[in-house]
Amino acid sequence: PTSGCTLLGGVDISALRPCANTRHVGYLPQDIELFGGAIKDVIGRLDGADPTRAIEAAKLVGLHETIMRLPQGYETDIGEGGNLLLRAQRQQLGLARAAYGNPSLVVLDDPNSSLDYEGERILFNAIERMRSRRMIVVIITHRMGVLPVTNKIAIMRNGMVNAFGESEHIYD
């Protein structure tokens, strides 16, 4: 910021230091880049793939049952680019990767851009579970369909905040 400070969980972010057991920010890009490897390694790419934490992240986003149906479960190699998985499953895998380690803040960039109705329902449930764990979830989107799971909305136009407030007041 050019003035003031940015707080995350009441702490100035300049004071936050990366720790071995803590990730402060998780990120789901609009276009997920997945490399081949075991699912547990893909989910925990920043932490040496602790299997327990990978399973916890997959359960959080509703992907665990799907993984358990794969030939080798969490050891299944997803193939280059994640080609073993459907697009919605790749999206969920990216979401699990973002939620891995229970970060304080999760940023989702157009998370519903390629999802059908069922995929959006799974995404909404995952967002609700993340919020119940006191994760702050920031959603950047062009599609209005994800707005019902928000509690605050900021509308940006030409790089400026045009409106900000409680979702029920802005969304109506």
Side-chain angles (χ1 to χ4, degrees), residues 23-46:
R23 286 185 54 210
H24 300 293
V25 179
Y27 175 61
L28 175 68
Q30 182 176 359
D31 296 316
I32 301 166
E33 296 286 333
L34 297 175
F35 301 102
I39 288 176
K40 70 173 179 54
D41 296 328
V42 172
I43 293 173
R45 68 186 169 88
L46 298 176

Side-chain angles (χ1 to χ4, degrees), residues 31 38-39 42 72 86 94 108 119-120 123 137:
D31 296 316
I39 288 176
V42 172
Q72 295 163 322
L86 301 171
L108 309 177
E120 273 196 346
L123 172 67
V137 180

Side-chain angles (χ1 to χ4, degrees), residues 52-110:
T52 303
R53 292 172 73 172
I55 291 168
E56 181 181 317
K59 285 180 177 178
L60 181 66
V61 303
L63 188 60
H64 177 72
E65 298 302 323
T66 300
I67 293 170
M68 294 310 294
R69 288 191 297 270
L70 294 172
Q72 295 163 322
Y74 284 85
E75 295 296 330
T76 302
D77 188 326
I78 63 168
E80 193 61 36
N83 61 13
L84 176 69
L85 304 173
L86 301 171
R87 183 158 174 80
Q89 292 169 334
R90 288 193 299 269
Q91 183 84 357
Q92 273 184 289
L93 185 60
L95 189 57
R97 187 169 61 183
Y100 180 84
N102 293 312
S104 303
L105 172 67
V106 178
V107 179
L108 309 177
D109 186 358
D110 257 340

